C-alpha cells in the first residue's frame, strides 16, 4: 500500500501497475480535492500519490508539465486540470451515477455555475495572505457569497442531492473556517442562512466526510503555508 506522505524532490516515482488508475494529489489542495470527491463518490478503484508542491520531484513535471495537481495516469497516459479530470471520470466510470447532467443544456448551466464559482479564488487568497486583514478582499468575498446565496434554490445546487456543482465548489467552503480563525471573517447563518445550511448538509454527505479535514487541521496547514514551510504531512506522523 502506498504511503500517504508526500513524495518530494529526489524521490523515486512509485511503480504503477498496468491498468491501475493513479491520482497525483496533495492532501490540502482544493483543486485535487475536486477529483478526490469524484473518485470517492463514484467508487472508482484507484491509488493516490501525494507530492510535495514546494520541492517537486522531477517525475511529476514529466507527467504534469507545470507541476500542478491533480493529475491522473493510466496505461502510460496522463491528464491534468481538475475540471477536465472530473468530467472524464464522471463519463468514463459508472455512467449510471452521473454528477454532470446528461441534458446538454443543464450540463452547460452546471459548467457556467462552476466557472462563476472560480471568482472566489482572488478575494479568498488575498484575504488569507494579508497580515492585517484586507478589507477590500473581504468585501469582494462577501459580495461573491451573497450571489451564491441567491443561486441556491434547494438543499443543494443539484436539487435534493449533491451534483457536480456542489462537489466542485465545496473545497473552498470547507476552508472558509480558516478565514474565520486567522482573518476574523464572519461567515454567519444570520447573513448567509442558505449557504451555511448547505455547508452543514455537505459536511454530512458521505462522500465529503470520507476525505474532509476539520477546521483545526486546515488552520494548521494554512499557517504552515503562510510561514513558507507548508506541512503537507500534518497528522501522518
Amino acid at each position: 500500500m502506498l504511503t500517504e506522505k508526500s513524495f518530494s524532490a529526489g524521490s523515486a516515482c512509485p511503480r504503477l501497475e498496468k491498468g491501475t488508475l493513479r491520482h497525483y494529489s496533495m492532501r490540502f489542495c482544493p483543486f485535487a480535492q475536486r477529483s478526490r470527491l469524484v473518485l470517492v463518490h463514484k467508487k472508482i478503484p484507484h491509488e493516490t500519490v501525494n507530492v510535495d508542491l514546494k520541492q517537486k520531484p522531477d517525475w511529476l513535471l514529466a507527467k504534469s508539465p507545470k507541476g500542478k495537481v491533480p493529475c491522473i495516469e493510466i496505461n502510460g497516459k496522463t491528464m491534468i486540470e481538475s475540471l477536465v479530470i472530473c468530467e472524464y471520470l464522471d463519463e468514463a466510470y459508472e455512467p449510471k451515477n452521473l454528477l454532470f447532467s446528461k441534458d446538454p443544456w443543464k450540463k452547460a448551466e452546471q459548467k457556467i455555475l462552476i466557472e462563476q464559482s472560480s471568482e472566489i479564488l482572488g478575494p479568498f487568497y488575498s484575504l488569507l495572505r494579508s497580515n492585517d486583514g484586507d478589507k477590500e478582499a473581504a468585501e469582494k468575498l462577501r459580495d461573491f457569497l451573497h450571489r451564491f446565496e441567491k443561486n441556491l434554490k434547494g438543499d443543494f445546487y443539484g436539487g435534493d442531492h449533491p451534483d457536480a456543482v456542489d462537489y466542485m465548489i465545496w473545497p473552498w467552503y470547507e476552508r472558509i473556517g480558516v478565514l474565520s480563525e486567522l482573518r476574523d471573517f464572519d461567515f454567519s447563518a444570520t447573513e448567509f442562512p442558505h449557504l451555511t445550511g448547505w455547508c452543514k448538509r455537505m459536511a454530512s454527505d458521505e462522500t465529503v466526510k470520507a476525505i474532509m479535514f476539520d477546521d483545526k487541521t486546515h488552520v494548521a496547514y494554512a499557517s504552515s503555508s503562510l510561514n513558507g514551510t507548508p506541512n503537507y504531512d500534518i497528522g501522518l506522523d
Side-chain angles (χ1 to χ4, degrees):
M1 182 176 178
L2 286 171
T3 178
E4 285 189 65
K5 289 192 173 183
S6 302
F7 289 82
S8 59
S11 64
C13 183
R15 184 172 178 234
L16 178 59
E17 298 292 337
K18 184 178 180 180
T20 298
L21 175 66
R22 176 175 286 175
H23 182 239
Y24 296 96
S25 180
M26 189 277 275
R27 294 168 67 230
F28 297 100
C29 174
F31 296 98
Q33 186 178 357
R34 284 173 160 178
S35 41
R36 289 170 63 209
L37 285 165
V38 175
L39 287 163
V40 170
H41 179 79
K42 296 178 75 74
K43 297 180 173 60
I44 300 172
H46 68 284
E47 64 180 29
T48 296
V49 170
N50 290 311
V51 294
D52 183 327
L53 295 181
K54 196 172 180 68
Q55 301 183 61
K56 300 172 184 177
D58 291 341
W59 46 261
L60 175 66
L61 297 171
K63 302 172 188 301
S64 176
K66 293 183 179 180
K68 298 194 302 183
V69 294
C71 171
I72 60 171
E73 180 179 12
I74 187 169
N75 296 332
K77 298 186 294 184
T78 59
M79 183 181 296
I80 58 173
E81 300 297 340
S82 64
L83 293 179
V84 174
I85 290 171
C86 289
E87 188 171 356
Y88 164 75
L89 294 173
D90 195 39
E91 293 180 354
Y93 297 87
E94 296 297 331
K96 293 182 180 179
N97 185 24
L98 289 173
L99 290 168
F100 286 94
S101 177
K102 289 182 179 179
D103 180 88
W105 189 272
K106 290 182 179 179
K107 186 174 184 178
E109 290 181 328
Q110 288 177 308
K111 287 186 170 184
I112 289 170
L113 200 52
I114 292 169
E115 176 63 27
Q116 290 175 342
S117 75
S118 66
E119 294 175 27
I120 195 176
L121 300 180
F124 186 100
Y125 290 109
S126 291
L127 181 57
L128 179 60
R129 291 167 182 154
S130 65
N131 292 322
D132 53 356
D134 187 329
K135 292 182 180 179
E136 182 180 354
E139 194 57 36
K140 287 182 178 179
L141 179 57
R142 184 160 269 103
D143 288 344
F144 168 86
L145 293 171
H146 277 297
R147 282 191 283 122
F148 265 70
E149 170 90 1
K150 293 176 182 177
N151 284 333
L152 186 58
K153 306 300 182 184
D155 284 347
F156 300 95
Y157 289 95
D160 59 0
H161 61 275
D163 71 356
V165 176
D166 296 276
Y167 288 132
M168 294 305 99
I169 71 175
W170 167 250
W172 287 273
Y173 289 89
E174 183 176 312
R175 290 155 176 78
I176 207 160
V178 174
L179 297 181
S180 299
E181 178 69 23
L182 298 181
R183 299 295 178 254
D184 200 28
F185 182 78
D186 185 20
F187 181 61
S188 69
T190 301
E191 186 173 3
F192 304 105
H194 299 305
L195 274 179
T196 52
W198 172 80
C199 284
K200 289 180 180 178
R201 289 187 289 274
M202 286 295 291
S204 297
D205 177 72
E206 292 302 318
T207 296
V208 170
K209 286 197 299 183
I211 64 170
M212 76 179 294
F213 292 108
D214 59 20
D215 285 348
K216 181 180 179 181
T217 304
H218 276 302
V219 168
Y221 169 73
S223 297
S224 72
S225 183
L226 290 169
N227 288 333
T229 54
N231 184 354
Y232 302 116
D233 297 333
I234 288 174
L236 297 181
D237 295 327

